[in-house]
Amino acid sequence: MELLNGKETSLKIQEDLKSQVEKIKAEGKRAPHLAAVLVGDDGASKTYVGAKVKACARIGYDSTEVILPGDTSQDDLLNKIDELNKNENIDGFIVQLPLPSHINVEAITSAIDPSKDVDGFHLINVGKLLKGRPTFVAATPLGIMELLKHYNIETEGKHCVIVGRSDIVGTPLSVLMSRKTNPGNSTVTLCHTRTKNLKEMTLQADILVGAVGSANYISGDMVKDGAVVIDVGITRVPDETKKSGFRLVGDIEFEGASKKASYITPVPGGVGPMTIAALLLNTMHAYNKVFYP
Ligand code: NAP
């Protein structure tokens, strides 16, 4: 079994981006600029935005953090988005989810200029993904594709079983994995809460992806021998031995699955850091106006 080390791979991608930024600056041009909007003070969201801003600083991107109170109205948030859309010095921006319940997420993602939508959530970008056109791809599925590419994982003709069909992970990944690309060209099965006999499905997976959000939901006996196992799930589980009071646990029971897998992502240190690398890649794409093929 080999670990798919997302942390290491993410740092390699960031090193490459850093060299590109140095070249850009040496030519006297401004650096790529990512902005992140955070509404409210959700602890996990603050951590995610903080990690994204830190990564920008590490590779020489400019970044702007826009922090708004939890009672910000939808109209005020839309005005802020309009400002960011019009700001020529900002190449791309994200609005960190989840948003407070009084704000309509669809209204917000639809208001972002599609050419600055580095999260790839805008309907136009989702449509382009379905049609196989160059676009922004949501950071987590894009990060997974980059990880498969980095480790030269054979995906053609393989059966990829994805558990979880969210708009931001499972569904776009199912599209990417079934496209005529490399990585891609897999036969994809997308599972969810109405799937019958989940174990029967997961046991067929040459490539198994857990994107459920339930700690250790997929046990080792649900994994086929030799499978490539990708764990997207991140659940905070109380742990008194940790300073934070919790630890992060994936959807796939690591100990059991790692005995069967040929490759497996750890949690943390697998898909999480790749999501950040993918966001930085998307920001460079926005800067260069060259998108994921
Ligand atoms: P989500 O929107 O809650 O979607 C969860 C999906 O899992 C849904 O499609 C749901 O099915 C399915 N599901 C839930 N319980 C199930 C069960 N018992 N059996 C089969 N399917 C089940 O979650 P998400 O946003 O995709 O996130 C999933 C996990 O990934 C979370 O832990 C999240 O924190 C993590 N995540 C990690 C990263 C990263 O960077 N590493 C990024 C994004 C998300 P239905 O559609 O039928 O309800």
Side-chain angles (χ1 to χ4, degrees):
M1 182 276 296
E2 191 179 336
L3 270 189
L4 294 171
N5 191 328
K7 196 172 167 189
E8 215 174 85
T9 312
S10 171
L11 287 175
K12 281 201 179 121
I13 292 172
Q14 291 181 43
E15 275 308 307
D16 181 46
L17 289 171
K18 191 176 171 189
S19 311
Q20 291 183 45
V21 176
E22 280 162 6
K23 218 170 130 214
I24 287 169
K25 285 184 176 167
E27 288 166 2
K29 296 185 216 149
R30 71 163 177 82
H33 189 161
L34 173 72
V37 182
L38 179 64
V39 185
D41 58 0
D42 175 72
S45 294
K46 270 188 185 164
T47 309
Y48 295 144
V49 169
K52 290 165 188 174
V53 168
K54 232 199 252 167
C56 283
R58 196 160 48 228
I59 64 169
Y61 282 7
D62 292 329
S63 64
T64 299
E65 220 174 328
V66 180
I67 299 174
L68 302 172
D71 61 358
T72 299
S73 70
Q74 182 165 310
D75 282 348
D76 285 348
L77 181 55
L78 287 169
N79 287 335
K80 180 48 76 180
I81 288 172
D82 191 42
E83 246 176 61
L84 294 169
N85 282 339
K86 287 178 179 149
N87 187 333
E88 287 178 5
N89 287 318
I90 289 178
D91 302 294
F93 65 97
I94 60 161
V95 178
Q96 185 67 41
L97 302 181
L99 286 167
S101 56
H102 65 278
I103 295 176
N104 181 315
V105 178
E106 199 60 48
I108 299 305
T109 52
S110 301
I112 297 173
D113 178 339
S115 71
K116 292 191 174 191
D117 173 37
V118 285
D119 253 342
F121 294 165
H122 193 287
L123 292 180
I124 286 185
N125 288 326
V126 175
K128 283 182 175 174
L129 172 70
L130 278 177
K131 294 286 281 179
R133 303 268 176 84
T135 185
F136 289 115
V137 175
T140 302
L142 177 59
I144 293 170
M145 299 306 279
E146 289 294 322
L147 193 62
L148 293 171
K149 204 195 296 178
H150 181 81
Y151 281 89
N152 281 318
I153 304 286
E154 181 61 77
T155 58
E156 185 170 320
K158 303 290 179 189
H159 187 185
C160 174
V161 176
I162 302 169
V163 190
R165 59 177 164 185
S166 74
D167 285 355
I168 61 166
V169 187
T171 295
L173 185 64
S174 72
V175 175
L176 290 167
M177 288 300 287
S178 55
R179 286 205 319 196
K180 257 187 207 174
T181 50
N182 181 25
N185 268 328
S186 294
T187 303
V188 176
T189 300
L190 191 55
C191 302
H192 43 76
T193 51
R194 304 298 190 275
T195 298
K196 290 190 176 132
N197 304 323
L198 184 65
K199 184 173 176 181
E200 230 171 71
M201 298 294 164
T202 61
L203 277 174
Q204 293 175 37
D206 303 311
I207 301 167
L208 176 62
V209 182
V212 177
S214 178
N216 291 329
Y217 183 69
I218 299 168
S219 50
D221 64 344
M222 294 167 78
V223 177
K224 178 178 165 180
D225 276 326
V228 175
V229 175
I230 310 279
D231 196 346
V232 183
I234 308 175
T235 304
R236 288 181 174 193
V237 172
D239 186 340
E240 284 173 8
T241 65
K242 302 278 179 198
K243 208 169 121 198
S244 59
F246 65 83
R247 69 192 152 87
L248 300 179
V249 176
D251 288 342
I252 303 176
E253 186 234 330
F254 186 84
E255 211 184 302
S258 58
K259 289 190 183 111
K260 302 266 200 71
S262 53
Y263 293 89
I264 188 167
T265 58
V267 176
V271 174
M274 289 307 296
T275 297
I276 292 192
L279 178 67
L280 298 171
L281 279 171
N282 276 345
T283 305
M284 185 58 93
H285 294 160
Y287 181 85
N288 289 326
K289 309 255 179 279
V290 173
F291 305 105
Y292 189 80

